[in-house]
Amino acid sequence: NMVSSFRVSELQVLLGFAGRNKSGRKHDLLMRALHLLKSGCSPAVQIKIRELYRRRYPRTIEGLSDLSAIKPAVFNLDNSSSPVEPDLAVAGIHPLPSTSVTPQSPSSPVSSVLLQDTKPHFEMQQPSPPIPPVHPDVQLKSLPFYDVLDVLIKPTSLVQSSIQRFQEKFFIFALTPQQVREICISRDFLPGGRRDYTVQVQLRLCLAETSCPQEDNYPNSLCIKVNGKLFPLPGYAPPPKNGIEQKRPGRPLNITSLVRLSSAVPNQISISWASEIGKNYSMSVYLVRQLTSAMLLQRLKMKGIRNPDHSRALIKEKLTADPDSEIATTSLRVSLMCPLGKMRLTIPCRAVTCTHLQCFDAALYLQMNEKKPTWICPVCDKKAAYESLILDG
């Protein structure tokens, strides 16, 4: 009933706040708003409906208790610094001052955002692009060399907060005493005499796409600071081509060296980037354990060895003459030398997605992907992901 009584301006404010399309005729806007309610809207959206209704009908709100499920005192407009639901804070309803921070972690002790500037001067209707959801349902591709132990900041949209080309967003996360302990005791000598942590704080950036699991992908002109210190991005930034900045290849970022290893002090991440039309990005932070190629080989062996009969059947199938084909296969050549190391195969392996009989050496393949993860089959140059590898009996 509240939503049905709204005028076009109120419907536009509500849909914009919920990150939905707010253009079109009143009927379309109303249908969209009612659909938003049917699909189960968040407490933040319910509060917004109530607030818009209260503004339209200052007196009648008192007797209504439809939305009594809302958590009381979530925000107070007259108060100059009030705790606000994280969803509200980033959805763009308040102009965030640069000092504001957004805790996203369910395990984080910092559970409220302080806003210095919540006076209701956000009334001015400015044409703004539809706001992407704060926590999109983005899934990142799993990385074979890392086990995820905890989510410190779940995937969060890097939302444009101004019309400037360069944007900046602040995030906060805090470690629990247990997480700090795990990182500290994992300090280890890595190959090459380096000392590093095997339990790491890993930052990942990707396109805010929900259609399929995303690979790591950096926005243009990316700059990351952790606790005020600049984080050196890995890899190379290719030189500008025709005056256009080329993209840096994306990969997960190990920011452990700049993280405060203390449960008493929260950590702040600042991400600045150049906005691109039609491209939205998402960031997330995880606590991960780094694995070695030897560990992955062990896991592969534990998965079991494919029965030799399976390969025999495959050979028979390839040698069975196809009546439609003019050329009959009368022989199959398979080398016992690994195409990667040019040495005799010790652990013959291939991906279940490959159609060829030729194998490569599992240990060598994993070592090469540990250095530079491409996961490409050395025989047919198609994707051969770790999950699809099988040892051939």
Side-chain angles (χ1 to χ4, degrees):
N1 289 352
M2 286 185 181
V3 171
S4 302
S5 71
F6 285 172
R7 294 167 299 194
V8 171
S9 57
E10 278 116 8
L11 290 168
Q12 284 176 330
V13 171
L14 174 63
L15 289 166
F17 174 71
R20 302 293 167 92
N21 181 0
K22 54 181 187 181
S23 58
R25 292 187 310 236
K26 182 177 179 180
H27 176 72
D28 301 336
L29 297 175
L30 186 58
M31 287 300 114
R32 242 173 267 148
L34 291 172
H35 182 262
L36 179 71
L37 278 177
K38 282 200 185 82
S39 59
C41 57
S42 67
V45 173
Q46 292 181 22
I47 291 167
K48 189 69 187 163
I49 293 169
R50 207 165 188 176
E51 180 203 326
L52 289 165
Y53 191 83
R54 193 186 286 128
R55 249 188 251 152
R56 175 107 207 259
Y57 305 103
R59 291 209 183 87
T60 52
I61 188 81
E62 309 312 328
L64 286 160
S65 58
D66 310 22
L67 302 172
S68 55
I70 301 168
K71 283 178 243 161
V74 177
F75 70 163
N76 170 4
L77 283 175
D78 306 316
N79 201 339
S80 64
S81 108
S82 57
V84 175
E85 283 272 328
D87 292 24
L88 250 67
V90 198
I93 172 169
H94 303 301
L96 289 182
S98 59
T99 50
S100 70
V101 289
T102 315
Q104 313 295 356
S105 158
S107 60
S108 155
V110 185
S111 60
S112 67
V113 187
L114 286 177
L115 295 181
Q116 270 63 44
D117 196 12
T118 38
K119 289 276 185 263
H121 64 254
F122 53 83
E123 281 300 8
M124 292 183 294
Q125 282 288 307
Q126 289 175 336
S128 60
I131 301 158
V134 183
H135 295 306
D137 299 327
V138 172
Q139 285 187 313
L140 284 131
K141 282 201 170 164
S142 64
L143 302 168
F145 284 101
Y146 298 96
D147 279 347
V148 175
L149 307 176
D150 264 317
V151 179
L152 301 174
I153 298 180
K154 61 183 176 176
T156 305
S157 296
L158 293 176
V159 187
Q160 270 185 255
S161 53
S162 65
I163 51 169
Q164 264 78 37
R165 180 162 181 249
F166 291 99
Q167 304 288 327
E168 185 170 25
K169 275 274 172 228
F170 293 86
F171 302 87
I172 252 196
F173 69 93
L175 297 168
T176 64
Q178 170 66 20
Q179 289 166 342
V180 171
R181 221 178 98 250
E182 281 194 55
I183 297 172
C184 291
I185 59 174
S186 78
R187 196 160 186 205
D188 202 1
F189 281 104
L190 286 180
R194 289 186 305 120
R195 287 195 76 167
D196 205 349
Y197 298 101
T198 51
V199 173
Q200 302 167 356
V201 177
Q202 185 182 75
L203 189 149
R204 296 185 72 181
L205 292 143
C206 69
L207 282 167
E209 287 287 331
T210 52
S211 51
C212 61
Q214 293 297 302
E215 297 194 338
D216 293 80
N217 201 327
Y218 300 158
N220 278 336
S221 307
L222 177 65
C223 173
I224 296 174
K225 286 182 185 170
V226 181
N227 297 320
K229 289 183 183 159
L230 191 67
F231 177 77
L233 290 169
Y236 61 96
K241 197 176 189 177
N242 314 331
I244 299 167
E245 180 193 6
Q246 284 181 271
K247 280 190 83 73
R248 198 185 272 274
R251 61 185 66 173
L253 305 171
N254 173 12
I255 59 171
T256 323
S257 57
L258 298 179
V259 168
R260 298 185 181 115
L261 296 181
S262 154
S263 56
V265 197
N267 290 278
Q268 189 192 51
I269 298 173
S270 136
I271 296 181
S272 61
W273 74 101
S275 59
E276 298 166 76
I277 295 166
K279 270 193 183 175
N280 288 319
Y281 288 86
S282 167
M283 72 80 76
S284 45
V285 180
Y286 304 91
L287 188 71
V288 298
R289 176 173 277 111
Q290 190 175 16
L291 307 172
T292 62
S293 55
M295 289 173 185
L296 288 195
L297 183 60
Q298 199 51 44
R299 285 187 184 180
L300 190 57
K301 285 177 177 171
M302 282 162 69
K303 204 159 92 173
I305 291 177
R306 177 169 268 186
N307 194 312
D309 288 344
H310 191 282
S311 294
R312 285 197 191 96
L314 198 63
I315 294 167
K316 282 178 188 165
E317 192 187 319
K318 283 183 181 291
L319 290 175
T320 306
D322 179 359
D324 302 335
S325 169
E326 306 248 325
I327 306 153
T329 308
T330 52
S331 67
L332 286 167
R333 284 180 69 92
V334 174
S335 171
L336 295 183
M337 192 166 76
C338 171
L340 284 169
K342 307 296 180 203
M343 297 188 299
R344 190 188 172 99
L345 289 164
T346 49
I347 308 166
C349 166
R350 67 167 166 267
V352 287
T353 47
C354 292
T355 53
H356 49 81
L357 287 168
Q358 179 66 53
C359 290
F360 46 83
D361 192 80
L364 214 52
Y365 183 68
L366 292 173
Q367 282 166 23
M368 289 183 76
N369 280 290
E370 187 175 21
K371 291 270 183 291
K372 190 181 177 195
T374 55
W375 301 104
I376 298 288
C377 170
V379 179
C380 64
D381 287 336
K382 292 200 178 102
K383 276 276 177 206
Y386 176 71
E387 301 77 52
S388 63
L389 297 181
I390 193 91
L391 302 183
D392 191 320

